[in-house]
Amino acid sequence: WAADEQTYSQWAYYMVKSGDYVTPYAFGGLAVWIGKPPLYMWLMSLNYQAFGVSNVVTRLWSPIFGALALVVVYFLGKRLYNRIVGVTSAMVLATFTTLFLFARHAMTDVAFVFFIVASIYFFVLSEQTQKISRYTVLSGLFFGSALLTKQVEALLIPLTVFAYLVVTNRSFRFLLTKRFTAFWGIGLLLLSPWLIYMFLSFGSAFWNWFIIYCGVTRTISPIEGHTGNYLFYLNYLIDNERVWAILLPFAAGLCAFNSLLKHSK
């Protein structure tokens, strides 16, 4: 269906046949996705070994992660507000056309959404104590899993946590706490072995793909046929998620108002 599916399935199939679970292989040779983290392909290769190779098996993880994301969103909304907010939040995510479409195909995006929400959820739970707890560890592990799924985009997690802590604590002191350091430290520690191995194996070519191409070029410029103006994603949201696109600014405003009201008491 998509170039993503072709590349990822070939890489996962190569893993099973060759026993090489690190070298990015597709289309008859070393794939250009040398900078793409391999976690999703590792999971796909497990499916191939357990159930054989087919389109259904290739796409199996996406709906699983989609369903798990709905569960975690419910608990996150419940934890931050109440059960009604949790149910409503899960319903909003479940009725996103984009999530539904992506959850039907072998793409890293839905798994990435789950890792983001799970990392943030367990970090919120870790606030029950200022010490490093199992929730802190889980938050860091899911952050690391996100880094091993989609590299640069995973930085949305610490940025989201940072914004949340600034608003709730009205201070930057949390940056020096053991809990916050453990959160991002565990995430980077999970990513490090793969980074080191790839650098030792491919040298500067890996950094060019991982940092320059995947990290910078893909972020600041339209490539691989993904052309559009600076409002591309906003227009996409409006075209595909009409109801939620209309309600989004009101929801964001209401959240901000409630946050200010809560902390002014």
Side-chain angles (χ1 to χ4, degrees), residues 158-231:
L159 287 175
T160 302
V161 169
F162 176 83
Y164 168 76
L165 291 176
V166 168
V167 171
T168 55
N169 295 334
R170 296 188 176 185
S171 171
F172 293 95
R173 292 181 180 178
F174 65 85
L175 292 171
L176 303 177
T177 62
K178 293 181 179 179
R179 184 168 62 94
F180 186 76
T181 302
F183 151 69
W184 62 261
I186 292 172
L188 294 180
L189 188 63
L190 194 64
L191 177 69
S192 295
W194 175 75
L195 281 179
I196 295 172
Y197 178 88
M198 293 297 287
F199 177 71
L200 293 177
S201 299
F202 301 102
S204 60
F206 169 69
W207 289 118
N208 288 335
W209 281 107
F210 185 76
I211 302 295
I212 304 301
Y213 183 77
C214 294
V216 179
T217 305
R218 287 176 58 87
T219 303
I220 65 175
S221 62
I223 59 176
E224 300 171 5
H226 297 127
T227 57
N229 58 33
Y230 290 105
L231 298 178

Side-chain angles (χ1 to χ4, degrees), residues 19-87:
D20 183 349
Y21 285 83
V22 182
T23 304
Y25 182 96
F27 305 108
L30 186 67
V32 296
W33 291 106
I34 192 174
K36 173 68 72 173
L39 178 57
Y40 193 81
M41 281 59 74
W42 287 343
L43 296 175
M44 193 185 297
S45 70
L46 292 178
N47 285 354
Y48 287 163
Q49 295 180 67
F51 307 111
V53 180
S54 69
N55 287 341
V56 173
V57 173
T58 298
R59 295 166 173 162
L60 188 60
W61 281 110
S62 283
I64 291 176
F65 280 120
L68 291 174
L70 298 179
V71 174
V72 178
V73 163
Y74 162 74
F75 283 106
L76 178 60
K78 180 182 176 183
R79 179 72 177 84
L80 291 175
Y81 295 96
N82 52 57
R83 181 175 298 178
I84 295 177
V85 172
V87 172

Side-chain angles (χ1 to χ4, degrees), residues 132-178:
I132 299 175
S133 65
R134 64 181 184 276
Y135 297 128
T136 308
V137 175
L138 286 171
S139 179
L141 289 175
F142 280 115
F143 174 38
S145 299
L147 287 169
L148 278 169
T149 304
K150 291 177 77 74
Q151 59 276 38
V152 176
E153 295 90 333
L155 297 179
L156 286 170
I157 298 175
L159 287 175
T160 302
V161 169
F162 176 83
Y164 168 76
L165 291 176
V166 168
V167 171
T168 55
N169 295 334
R170 296 188 176 185
S171 171
F172 293 95
R173 292 181 180 178
F174 65 85
L175 292 171
L176 303 177
T177 62
K178 293 181 179 179

Side-chain angles (χ1 to χ4, degrees), residues 9-20 23-26 48:
S9 59
Q10 288 187 57
W11 187 359
Y13 184 74
Y14 174 78
M15 289 178 177
V16 176
K17 288 297 183 180
S18 68
D20 183 349
T23 304
Y25 182 96
Y48 287 163

Side-chain angles (χ1 to χ4, degrees), residues 103-147:
R104 296 171 58 200
H105 298 97
M107 304 177 73
T108 59
D109 303 80
V110 177
F112 182 63
V113 168
F114 165 72
F115 291 138
I116 286 179
V117 179
S119 180
I120 294 173
Y121 171 65
F122 283 111
F123 189 88
V124 171
L125 289 182
S126 73
E127 289 188 302
Q128 296 174 359
T129 174
Q130 292 301 316
K131 298 180 180 180
I132 299 175
S133 65
R134 64 181 184 276
Y135 297 128
T136 308
V137 175
L138 286 171
S139 179
L141 289 175
F142 280 115
F143 174 38
S145 299
L147 287 169

